[in-house]
Amino acid sequence: MEPCLKKAKILQENEKTDDKLHNYRQWVDTNGFKLSSKVVISRNGSCAQYGLVAVDDITEGECLFIVPRTTLLTPLNCSISQIFKNDTELCKQENGWISLVLALMFEYTNQNSFWSPYLKLLPSDLDLPMFWPREELEEKLTSTGVVEAVEKDVDNIDRDFNKVALPFMRRHPESFCESTHDIALYKRMVSLVMAYSFTEPDSGTDHDEDSSSDSDEEGGGPDPLVISPPMMTPLADILNHISENNAFLEFSKDCLKMTALKHIKKGEEVYNTYGNLANWELIHMYGFTEHYTNNIYDTVDIPSSVIVDVASAMNSYRKLPDKLSYLTECGILGDGATFIFGRSEIMNADSLTTVLKVLNMNDENLNNLKEDGWLSDDNQDDCDSISYENFSKLPASWKSLVQKASQCVMGRYSTSLTDDIKQLESLNNKQCNTVANLRLFYSLNVRIGQMNILNKLTMFCK
C-alpha cells in the first residue's frame, strides 16, 4: 500500500459532490492564479486528501501554476492588517510566527474572509503527534526524537499564547473573542502553520531575481541570508511531498511559480519537497512519513550524552574529565548536542571526528590543544573527517566507541527491528484507513529507518 504522504485523515466522499473542492477551484479561477491546462487540483490520483495531478505529459522546466502575491495570507495582507501594523508591542515580542497564527485564527473564524474557500479545504484536524495521547506518543515514538520535539512544541505554544497572543487579543477585542479564539484554536492554527506555511529566503535582491523557498532545496535560488516570516501560500501548499520531488517553487517580485523539475507523465502526481527531512521530522511537523526505503534523507541521532556515558563506562581514556570539559566548552558536547547519522553520510562528521580525536589524545597533544587550540604534527595523520567510506581505516578505539554508542541507542527502542519490519509488512496488506493504523504505519517507518542506520553503523565499526 502506498502511504498517505501529507494528511492523516482519508476522506471518502465522491469528488463530484465535494463542495469544498469545487469552491476552492472556483476561487483559484477567479483570483488571478494561472493554472496550466496540463494539471488539475484533485483527490483522484493524489496520495493524500488533495494534490496536483498531471492530465497530460509535462516536460522539464514547464510552469505548472502561478500564485499572485495578493493571495498570500500574511499578517500584513490579512483583513485586519492595520492592527498588526500599528501594534508595536507585538512587533517587539516575536518575529512573525505568532502574528501569522493570530491572522489565521481571525480569518479562519471569519465567514466572510477572502480566504474562506482556501481555508475550508485545509484539514480541520491535522493528526500531528502533539495531538496524540501521551501514552501512545511514548509507546510509538520513544527514542526517535519526536517525543522531545513535541514537549518543546507544547511548552512553546503555551508560553506564546499566554505571554504574547492572549495579551494581543485583549488589546483588540473588536477583532478577537477569548471564548472563540482560545488555546485550542491557537494550537490547531499552529499545526496548520507548521504543516502548510512557506518561508521565503531574503537574498537582499528585493525579489528582482527568482529565489526558491527554504523548503525547496532543489530550487537553485541564492543562499538565504535572512529567513522571512512564514506565510500561508494557497495552491502551492496543496502539493504533497516526496524527497525526490518533481517540481519546485520559485519566488519573484509579483508572484510565486511552480516549475517542473523533471519530466512528469500523464496521470502522475506533482510533488514538491518540504526540505531534506528525515522521517522523524516529517511526522513531527506534517503528520506523515515516507516509506523507510524511499526517504533518502532519513537520519538517526546519537546524543552526545550517550557518547559521554559510553566513554566513561569504557574506562580507557586518560584524563577523561579534562577532555569532556574541553569539548563541552567548545559546544560540541552538552546542551542537547547530537551526532546525526544519515543513510549515506554523517551530517556533522567534523564534530564527531573532533570528539574522537580529543578522547584518544595523549597528554602532550591535549595540553597543546587546551593552550593553543591546535593539534601537534604527531596527530595529523588521521585528521580527515570521518565518513562511512573511511570507517574501516579508523583506529580500533574509535570504532569501538561509536559501535557501543550505536548499540546503546538501539537498545532504547521499545521494539526490535525484526518485529517492526514484520508488523509493517502486515500493515501493508490491509487498508490503512483508520487513525490508529496510520499512526502505527508512520511510526514503524520512523523506527525502522533509524534502526537500519544504526545497524549499518554497527556493521561499519566491526
Side-chain angles (χ1 to χ4, degrees):
M1 172 193 168
E2 284 293 321
C4 297
L5 291 181
K6 191 172 183 183
K7 305 121 185 164
K9 187 178 177 184
I10 300 177
L11 303 180
Q12 301 296 330
E13 65 263 32
N14 190 290
E15 191 168 290
K16 292 181 180 179
T17 60
D18 189 341
D19 291 337
K20 291 186 297 183
L21 180 57
H22 172 76
N23 293 338
Y24 179 76
R25 286 172 171 169
Q26 200 169 47
W27 182 76
V28 167
D29 289 341
T30 57
N31 283 288
F33 294 83
K34 296 179 180 179
L35 190 64
S36 167
S37 61
K38 294 186 177 182
V39 295
V40 63
I41 306 164
S42 179
R43 180 199 313 280
N44 298 327
S46 171
C47 67
Q49 283 184 349
Y50 300 103
L52 196 70
V53 179
V55 294
D56 199 352
D57 288 347
I58 297 169
T59 60
E60 179 182 344
E62 277 196 63
C63 177
L64 305 178
F65 60 76
I66 292 175
V67 180
R69 282 189 177 268
T70 52
T71 64
L72 304 181
L73 175 49
T74 72
L76 300 183
N77 198 34
C78 70
S79 306
I80 53 171
S81 59
Q82 204 60 43
I83 291 177
F84 289 103
K85 292 175 183 177
N86 294 337
D87 196 303
T88 56
E89 188 65 27
L90 182 65
C91 296
K92 296 176 184 177
Q93 292 178 297
E94 63 104 27
N95 59 5
W97 175 274
I98 301 174
S99 294
L100 179 58
V101 176
L102 287 163
L104 197 54
M105 289 174 74
F106 177 83
E107 300 294 351
Y108 196 84
T109 55
N110 177 13
Q111 293 300 314
N112 297 318
S113 172
F114 167 75
W115 289 274
S116 184
Y118 159 64
L119 295 174
K120 286 180 179 179
L121 197 73
L122 297 179
S124 59
D125 54 353
L126 268 177
D127 192 43
L128 302 188
M130 71 175 178
F131 296 114
W132 297 8
R134 178 71 188 195
E135 183 177 343
E136 183 178 11
L137 177 65
E138 293 180 347
E139 175 192 350
K140 289 182 168 64
L141 292 170
T142 287
S143 300
T144 63
V146 178
V147 175
E148 293 79 8
V150 167
E151 290 173 346
K152 185 176 180 180
D153 287 342
V154 172
D155 288 344
N156 288 340
I157 288 170
D158 288 341
R159 180 200 65 210
D160 292 345
F161 179 79
N162 288 300
K163 291 188 176 182
V164 182
L166 188 56
F168 173 85
M169 290 189 288
R170 286 172 175 170
R171 290 197 297 272
H172 305 285
E174 72 283 359
S175 300
F176 294 94
C177 171
E178 288 188 42
S179 61
T180 300
H181 302 99
D182 57 9
I183 183 65
L185 180 62
Y186 184 85
K187 194 172 183 180
R188 284 171 54 201
M189 297 301 102
V190 167
S191 72
L192 289 180
V193 173
M194 286 176 64
Y196 285 88
S197 69
F198 286 74
T199 52
E200 177 183 2
D202 182 358
S203 63
T205 60
D206 198 27
H207 305 298
D208 288 337
E209 299 179 5
D210 285 351
S211 62
S212 66
S213 165
D214 71 328
S215 60
D216 293 304
E217 298 291 334
E218 303 282 352
D223 290 335
L225 301 178
V226 179
I227 298 299
S228 305
M231 56 189 173
M232 304 302 291
T233 310
L235 192 54
D237 61 13
I238 206 168
L239 269 67
N240 294 304
H241 161 97
I242 55 175
S243 54
E244 298 187 270
N245 54 303
N246 55 18
F248 68 99
L249 187 65
E250 298 175 289
F251 290 82
S252 61
K253 183 178 180 179
D254 300 316
C255 65
L256 284 63
K257 181 171 71 172
M258 190 67 71
T259 303
L261 189 62
K262 58 186 75 171
H263 177 72
I264 304 172
K265 295 180 181 179
K266 178 181 178 180
E268 291 182 343
E269 184 168 4
V270 180
Y271 290 101
N272 192 11
T273 174
Y274 304 162
N276 300 347
L277 300 175
N279 271 341
W280 79 264
E281 295 171 301
L282 288 173
I283 195 172
H284 164 228
M285 293 187 290
Y286 302 101
F288 74 93
T289 69
E290 293 191 72
H291 194 278
Y292 73 91
T293 58
N294 296 335
N295 190 347
I296 60 176
Y297 300 116
D298 217 359
T299 63
V300 64
D301 292 0
I302 294 184
S304 65
S305 58
V306 171
I307 297 290
V308 172
D309 292 344
V310 170
S312 301
M314 290 173 70
N315 200 28
S316 57
Y317 297 103
R318 289 177 53 82
K319 296 187 176 180
L320 182 60
D322 288 350
K323 293 174 178 177
L324 296 178
S325 177
Y326 172 80
L327 291 168
T328 301
E329 290 174 4
C330 292
I332 299 176
L333 299 181
D335 293 329
T338 62
F339 300 101
I340 307 170
F341 295 84
R343 285 173 50 164
S344 59
E345 63 178 322
I346 304 169
M347 315 309 289
N348 49 354
D350 289 344
S351 295
L352 179 62
T353 304
T354 298
V355 169
L356 294 173
K357 284 180 184 177
V358 171
L359 292 180
N360 287 276
M361 275 182 180
N362 59 34
D363 292 352
E364 179 185 355
N365 284 335
L366 179 62
N367 289 333
N368 286 336
L369 183 65
K370 292 170 67 175
E371 293 175 7
D372 303 320
W374 53 274
L375 301 178
S376 70
D377 292 338
D378 294 338
N379 205 56
Q380 293 298 313
D381 292 339
D382 56 8
C383 64
D384 289 340
S385 186
I386 295 174
S387 67
Y388 289 138
E389 288 74 19
N390 67 14
F391 241 90
S392 61
K393 301 176 183 178
L394 297 179
S397 60
W398 291 33
K399 290 189 286 187
S400 177
L401 178 58
V402 174
Q403 182 183 38
K404 291 179 185 297
S406 62
Q407 289 171 337
C408 178
V409 173
M410 180 74 87
R412 294 183 173 186
Y413 294 94
S414 58
T415 55
S416 71
L417 178 58
T418 302
D419 289 344
D420 276 359
I421 291 175
K422 287 181 180 178
Q423 191 169 19
L424 183 62
E425 289 173 349
S426 68
L427 270 179
N428 282 338
N429 294 326
K430 64 175 71 172
Q431 188 80 11
C432 276
N433 59 356
T434 67
V435 170
N437 279 348
L438 282 169
R439 288 177 179 178
L440 179 58
F441 178 85
Y442 297 140
S443 299
L444 286 168
N445 277 290
V446 173
R447 298 199 306 254
I448 293 170
Q450 292 188 349
M451 286 192 277
N452 270 337
I453 295 172
L454 290 169
N455 259 357
K456 176 181 178 180
L457 186 58
T458 300
M459 292 300 297
F460 275 126
C461 291
K462 288 185 178 178

